């Protein structure tokens, strides 16, 4: 097994090179097995920052080069509430943990909707329906539009 001679990181806009390397647990001089590559991919996915991760080995004139190719989740620019007539936006915002600046990952979308549903259920709105849309602002950010159908208190 050839030792890693260099590590290249591609596609990181928010995560620093050092952060990616530290989280991947791949280091220069290391003999890298397929299990190490799989663990590096898992470690990077666990950060919640990346939508896609590919790790390749390339033989180069300097030796065995590892290329970590990333696609980061876009950042949340704004969270926009629509349809909330019975509960004020400020009150809803106080009860959610996902904020502007967070990554628009599937997990964060799930948490955001669950937290809003729980807030409404505590207020007696048991049939609430929330539809979310991602409105692309740029390659790096999105607005989240939440259409809330409050229905009636049960």
């Amino acid at each position: 097994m050839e030792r890693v001679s260099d590590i290249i990181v591609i596609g990181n806009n928010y995560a620093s090179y050092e952060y990616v390397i530290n989280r991947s647990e791949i280091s220069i001089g290391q003999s890298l097995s397929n299990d190490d590559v799989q663990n590096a991919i898992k470690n990077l996915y666990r950060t919640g920052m990346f939508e896609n991760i590919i790790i390749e080995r390339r033989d180069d004139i300097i030796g065995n080069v590892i290329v970590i190719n990333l696609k980061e989740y876009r950042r949340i620019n704004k969270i926009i509430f629509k349809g909330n007539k019975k509960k004020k936006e400020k009150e809803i915002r106080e009860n959610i943990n996902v904020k502007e600046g967070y990554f628009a990952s599937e997990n964060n979308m799930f948490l955001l909707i669950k937290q809003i549903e729980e807030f409404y259920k505590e207020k007696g709105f048991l049939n609430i329906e929330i539809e979310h849309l991602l409105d692309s602002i740029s390659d790096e950010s999105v607005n989240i539009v939440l259409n809330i159908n409050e229905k009636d208190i049960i």
Side-chain angles (χ1 to χ4, degrees), residues 46-112:
R46 276 191 207 113
T47 67
M49 296 175 68
F50 306 108
E51 188 174 341
N52 194 20
I53 302 164
I54 298 170
I55 298 180
E56 304 174 303
R57 300 173 199 234
R58 293 186 186 161
D59 288 325
D60 198 312
I61 54 173
I62 62 169
N64 188 24
V65 177
I66 301 303
V67 179
I68 303 174
N69 196 335
L70 306 167
K71 181 168 188 209
E72 293 177 332
Y73 282 109
R74 293 182 287 175
R75 294 271 183 156
I76 300 169
N77 179 56
K78 286 184 186 172
I79 300 173
I80 300 166
F81 298 92
K82 293 186 175 182
N84 55 304
K85 294 175 179 37
K86 298 173 184 168
K87 293 295 165 195
K88 293 185 178 171
E89 181 176 324
K90 182 177 185 242
E91 196 177 357
I92 298 169
R93 284 189 186 277
E94 289 170 353
N95 286 279
I96 59 175
N97 295 327
V98 177
K99 310 282 185 198
E100 282 92 357
Y102 282 39
F103 288 99
S105 67
E106 293 168 18
N107 188 51
N108 280 344
M109 295 301 95
F110 176 80
L111 285 174
L112 179 61

Side-chain angles (χ1 to χ4, degrees), residues 7-149:
I7 304 169
I8 298 170
V9 177
I10 300 170
N12 55 317
N13 296 316
Y14 295 107
S16 70
Y17 172 86
E18 293 79 12
Y19 179 84
V20 173
I21 299 305
N22 286 337
R23 289 301 180 134
S24 74
E25 298 181 1
I26 296 175
S27 57
I28 293 175
Q30 172 183 358
S31 292
L32 196 65
S33 70
N34 288 337
D35 285 344
D36 293 331
V37 171
Q38 291 304 313
N39 286 333
I41 291 170
K42 287 177 188 173
N43 291 341
L44 289 167
Y45 271 123
R46 276 191 207 113
T47 67
M49 296 175 68
F50 306 108
E51 188 174 341
N52 194 20
I53 302 164
I54 298 170
I55 298 180
E56 304 174 303
R57 300 173 199 234
R58 293 186 186 161
D59 288 325
D60 198 312
I61 54 173
I62 62 169
N64 188 24
V65 177
I66 301 303
V67 179
I68 303 174
N69 196 335
L70 306 167
K71 181 168 188 209
E72 293 177 332
Y73 282 109
R74 293 182 287 175
R75 294 271 183 156
I76 300 169
N77 179 56
K78 286 184 186 172
I79 300 173
I80 300 166
F81 298 92
K82 293 186 175 182
N84 55 304
K85 294 175 179 37
K86 298 173 184 168
K87 293 295 165 195
K88 293 185 178 171
E89 181 176 324
K90 182 177 185 242
E91 196 177 357
I92 298 169
R93 284 189 186 277
E94 289 170 353
N95 286 279
I96 59 175
N97 295 327
V98 177
K99 310 282 185 198
E100 282 92 357
Y102 282 39
F103 288 99
S105 67
E106 293 168 18
N107 188 51
N108 280 344
M109 295 301 95
F110 176 80
L111 285 174
L112 179 61
I113 290 168
K114 275 289 173 216
Q115 289 170 349
I116 294 169
E117 287 173 344
E118 287 302 314
F119 164 74
Y120 270 95
K121 283 179 184 172
E122 288 173 8
K123 306 294 182 192
F125 294 87
L126 304 180
N127 288 328
I128 184 169
E129 291 178 0
I130 302 171
E131 182 181 289
H132 76 281
L133 305 166
L134 299 181
D135 182 16
S136 185
I137 300 301
S138 70
D139 288 344
E140 297 176 6
S141 66
V142 295
N143 286 340
I144 298 172
V145 180
L146 296 165
N147 293 308
I148 302 172
N149 184 347

